[in-house]
């Protein structure tokens, strides 16, 4: 069963990396979201899915039982979900703004900053002159 989980994480991460390498900005955003989902799955799977008892310390005990679920990966995944959603929302907003101002989502055609020239050219000219 562990191999199935590992294969699932590898497939999702591989799909995310494949999409990140695309030229379309929306595919890049979706690839980042898939890669975040793969990282969440990996962290979640590290917390022992076979645990049968909740992560609660019983009365009179000092530590969790051996069969208890590990609460740390659950907390990390919850935090990572929020951060991943915020990153995806920001990237989508940035892609929408880029499409409205440039008229394309092709990363190869987004060269307006290159057309302006180097921002350091004026500083170099003033030092030399």
């Amino acid at each position: 069963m562990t191999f199935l989980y590992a294969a699932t994480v590898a497939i999702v991460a591989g799909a995310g990396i494949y999409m990140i390498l695309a030229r379309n900005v929306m595919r890049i955003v979706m690839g980042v979201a898939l890669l975040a989902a793969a990282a969440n799955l990996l962290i979640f799977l590290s917390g022992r899915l076979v645990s049968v008892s909740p992560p609660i310390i019983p009365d009179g005990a000092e530590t969790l039982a051996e069969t208890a679920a590990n609460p740390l990966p659950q907390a990390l995944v919850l935090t990572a979900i929020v951060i991943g959603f915020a990153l995806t929302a920001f990237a989508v907003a940035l892609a929408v703004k880029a499409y409205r101002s440039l008229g394309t989502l092709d990363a190869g055609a987004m060269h307006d900053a290159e057309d302006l020239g180097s921002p350091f050219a004026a500083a170099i000219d003033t030092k030399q002159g």
Side-chain angles (χ1 to χ4, degrees):
M1 198 64 165
T2 304
F3 178 76
L4 179 66
Y5 294 143
T8 303
V9 170
I11 289 170
V12 173
I17 290 172
Y18 177 76
M19 290 182 76
I20 286 174
L21 296 174
R23 292 177 62 106
N24 190 324
V25 173
M26 287 309 295
R27 286 186 183 166
I28 293 171
V29 170
M30 293 304 295
V32 169
L34 273 176
L35 206 55
N40 290 344
L41 279 172
L42 185 65
I43 294 169
F44 185 69
L45 292 175
S46 70
R48 293 188 308 235
L49 290 178
V50 296
S51 301
V52 293
S53 61
I56 298 173
I57 299 175
D59 289 336
E62 295 290 324
T63 60
L64 284 173
E66 287 294 322
T67 59
N70 190 355
L72 183 61
Q74 295 174 10
L76 288 174
V77 167
L78 205 60
T79 305
I81 288 170
V82 173
I83 293 171
F85 178 74
L87 175 70
T88 304
F90 177 73
V92 168
L94 194 62
V96 168
K97 179 65 177 172
Y99 180 73
R100 286 183 181 165
S101 65
L102 300 174
T104 184
L105 286 177
D106 185 18
M110 294 180 179
H111 51 78
D112 283 357
E114 295 170 0
D115 295 341
L116 293 174
S118 173
F120 304 109
I124 292 171
D125 290 338
T126 57
K127 287 181 181 178
Q128 291 176 357

